[in-house]
Amino acid sequence: MEFAGKKVLILGGGVTGSSVAKIIKELGSKVAIADEKPLTDFATHPINDLDNLDYDFAIVSPGWKPDHPLVQALLNQGIKITNEVDLAWHFRNLHAPNQKWVAITGTNGKTTTTELTAAMLNAAGISALACGNVGTTVIESVLSDKKFEVLVLELSSFQIHWMSAPEFEAVAILNIADDHTDWHGSFEAYTNAKLKLLGHTKLAIINGQDQHLVESVNGISNWKGRKIYFGLDTPTYGNLGLVEELLVDRAFTEDPTQAGAICELKDIQPTVPHAVANTLAAAGLARSLGADLDSIGRAVR
């Protein structure tokens, strides 16, 4: 994508929109922002102005609905709409092509799991940063002076809806409960937004005790990636779970008859089911990127 001299409309002047605006302005773009409270450093485009859309492309912030009149007006006039995550992937390909991305989504527990995954990787000597819906934006993380080996992205259903470009080494879907139906229109559409992540990876770590999630994943016949399930039961080969007082890995061990110890139950405080499940999901992501079990255990403790 070319930015110098381009006229760009950014929909939303919050954390994501303002970060994108500053970066592409530095690259020579003429930036306008459509927001109820526009940033003072940029031109303002009224949200209800659907006619004067003289822009080369637009960048939409996650919370904007696809049926918003301004979004529809842009589409009707043939103006390309992109988003922060796709832009970040573009910059990653230019400036950090060896950087690996993993993604985490779910109705609950995303932030904890994202931060824990990054901590596990760092403990193993793999430089990683939690970003996206937590901490810094993805685009700022890619362009950071510190060239991280891995970005661990927390992604909301809104972000997943708009993105189309990234390829993840692995993704984790923690759970799906009835949420954000006012934005997506239905629980089915919300579920599909989460499952869209599968189309961007060949390895998915999935909550095997979320029946709706499991049935939904199994209903996707055209996805041929590897599924690793985590849960609070004794895991079969290829999955993650509990054996007595131990969290164990049977997905990334060389010997199919063996289980690798991730940590003890007592290492997780408070020792509650969702915290244990989140730890298993984080460990799966960390293991998929080569983190050793000892380092993962230290990060948990």
Side-chain angles (χ1 to χ4, degrees):
M1 298 182 71
E2 295 295 331
F3 297 94
K6 299 294 184 180
K7 291 183 284 188
V8 183
L9 177 63
I10 295 180
L11 281 62
V15 173
T16 299
S18 60
S19 296
V20 171
K22 291 172 184 174
I23 288 168
I24 66 171
K25 184 180 180 181
E26 290 174 357
L27 294 173
S29 293
K30 300 175 183 178
V31 179
I33 294 180
D35 193 279
E36 293 178 356
K37 297 179 180 179
L39 300 183
T40 55
D41 295 339
F42 300 92
T44 297
H45 184 102
I47 290 177
N48 58 0
D49 183 356
L50 308 182
D51 299 316
N52 301 303
L53 299 175
D54 182 21
Y55 299 101
D56 294 296
F57 62 94
I59 303 167
V60 62
S61 297
W64 285 59
K65 292 184 180 181
D67 62 358
H68 189 284
L70 184 51
V71 173
Q72 290 299 309
L74 289 163
L75 293 172
N76 291 338
Q77 295 187 36
I79 297 172
K80 175 182 172 61
I81 299 177
T82 187
N83 60 90
E84 184 251 347
V85 178
D86 282 2
L87 278 179
W89 185 254
H90 167 76
F91 287 121
R92 174 261 182 203
N93 290 340
L94 288 176
H95 301 295
N98 295 321
Q99 186 180 74
K100 296 178 179 179
W101 287 16
V102 294
I104 296 164
T105 196
T107 305
N108 300 300
K110 295 189 294 295
T111 299
T112 300
T113 310
T114 301
E115 292 176 339
L116 181 55
T117 302
M120 290 174 174
L121 292 167
N122 283 311
I126 301 167
S127 64
L129 180 69
C131 62
N133 211 35
V134 58
T136 58
T137 60
V138 186
I139 198 167
E140 288 173 318
S141 303
V142 170
L143 296 175
S144 167
D145 291 337
K146 184 174 181 181
K147 301 303 180 185
F148 295 98
E149 295 173 80
V150 178
L151 295 186
V152 185
L153 279 65
E154 176 188 333
L155 294 177
S156 69
S157 58
F158 308 145
Q159 290 168 300
I160 298 169
H161 171 88
W162 285 113
M163 74 172 210
S164 61
E167 297 178 11
F168 299 103
E169 298 296 313
V171 305
I173 306 179
L174 305 180
N175 44 63
I176 297 181
D178 200 345
D179 196 14
H180 297 308
T181 52
D182 58 332
W183 197 95
H184 291 281
S186 67
F187 183 41
E188 181 181 10
Y190 172 64
T191 299
N192 290 338
K194 297 290 192 185
L195 297 182
K196 181 184 171 186
L197 264 188
L198 297 181
H200 296 265
T201 189
K202 294 180 180 179
L203 175 61
I205 297 168
I206 298 160
N207 186 342
Q209 296 187 310
D210 185 323
Q211 196 60 38
H212 171 71
L213 174 57
V214 172
E215 291 175 358
S216 299
V217 170
N218 289 337
I220 303 175
S221 58
N222 60 349
W223 185 70
K224 305 301 181 184
R226 179 186 177 191
K227 292 178 282 191
I228 295 173
Y229 291 103
F230 64 89
L232 306 184
D233 298 324
T234 301
T236 56
Y237 178 63
N239 300 308
L240 303 151
L242 296 181
V243 175
E244 297 179 350
E245 299 299 310
L246 289 177
L247 280 70
V248 299
D249 165 26
R250 293 198 67 199
F252 299 96
T253 53
E254 294 182 5
D255 187 341
T257 65
Q258 299 296 315
I262 297 168
C263 65
E264 296 184 59
L265 264 179
K266 66 180 182 181
D267 294 332
I268 301 169
Q269 297 295 328
T271 311
V272 292
H274 70 267
V276 177
N278 291 342
T279 302
L280 288 167
L285 288 173
R287 290 287 279 160
S288 75
L289 292 167
D292 62 280
L293 290 167
D294 287 344
S295 298
I296 289 172
R298 287 200 308 274
V300 174
R301 289 187 288 274

